[in-house]
Amino acid sequence: MNEKQNVTKNKVGRPFVRFGSLKTPIGPIFVAISKSGLFDVAFGITDQVRYVARLGTRVARATPDRRAVSGALDQLDNYFSGNLTRFSIPVDLRVSTDFTYRVLLAANQIPFGQTISYGETARLVGSPGASRAVGGALGRNPLPIVIPCHRVIATDGSIGGFTGGLAIKKALLRLEGHQV
């Protein structure tokens, strides 16, 4: 991640999380925090019941607690207001493979306002030719926006895919100064 961002990589265990939401220009965003750091970021969900269902078996328990997640929500609010270009929230990555972890670390190094291709990301993680696998790993990013997978685009300059939908990816890229 970066020098101001603690990363805890966990492969096992289901944490207890606290969560809250924020209204943003791309719609509501829900976030969950474990004792190790930011655990989940989700958009396209409109209420707490659906968010807890989305977390499903990934957590032992989810409790609404806006105060507990206020630091993450404040940073996201500042990002959408144009006042933050790099997150410093500690994160708790519980990913299934080392490849996904390496891809997410590479995505997190892409500076605000810049993009790189899926192929370039594959080369950065030591797997040239694995651009489709990079796309799959980015699609499993539990912390979109904070780990900026939206900054990875196709080699030809098209925006590629995005689990949150292309409209949201375009909005995030426009927020960072890209013409899409």
Side-chain angles (χ1 to χ4, degrees):
M1 300 292 142
N2 67 60
E3 62 279 354
K4 294 183 179 179
Q5 194 170 24
N6 274 336
V7 179
T8 302
K9 180 184 174 201
N10 293 303
K11 283 191 172 186
V12 295
R14 295 180 315 145
F16 295 101
V17 298
R18 294 171 288 172
F19 69 90
S21 66
L22 174 72
K23 291 181 183 178
T24 75
I26 62 168
I29 292 181
F30 278 83
V31 300
I33 274 189
S34 73
K35 69 178 181 176
S36 299
L38 187 64
F39 177 78
D40 187 73
V41 174
F43 27 79
I45 296 173
T46 56
D47 62 62
Q48 290 183 8
V49 172
R50 287 189 177 130
Y51 183 62
V52 171
R54 177 194 184 285
L55 291 170
T57 60
R58 294 176 47 218
V59 301
R61 185 177 70 219
T63 304
D65 186 345
R66 186 170 174 81
R67 191 170 142 207
V69 298
S70 64
L73 295 177
D74 288 347
Q75 285 193 33
L76 283 162
D77 191 41
N78 283 321
Y79 168 82
F80 283 106
S81 299
N83 299 318
L84 183 88
T85 60
R86 191 129 180 83
F87 292 93
S88 60
I89 306 165
V91 299
D92 176 353
L93 279 179
R94 294 174 192 246
V95 293
S96 59
T97 68
D98 286 334
F99 179 78
T100 297
Y101 182 72
R102 290 192 326 264
V103 168
L104 295 179
L105 288 178
N108 199 57
Q109 297 305 313
I110 307 166
F112 181 92
Q114 295 183 24
T115 59
I116 67 171
S117 71
Y118 294 98
E120 186 177 349
T121 304
R123 285 188 296 281
L124 287 172
V125 300
S127 297
S131 56
R132 284 185 184 238
V134 164
L138 293 172
R140 292 184 295 278
N141 180 4
L143 305 173
I145 304 171
V146 175
I147 296 180
C149 55
H150 61 278
R151 296 179 188 156
V152 181
I153 62 172
T155 303
D156 66 4
S158 62
I159 66 169
F162 192 63
T163 301
L166 294 182
I168 290 176
K169 186 170 185 173
K170 288 178 183 179
L172 295 172
L173 291 170
R174 279 190 205 106
L175 176 76
E176 297 185 10
H178 297 280
Q179 301 292 325
V180 292

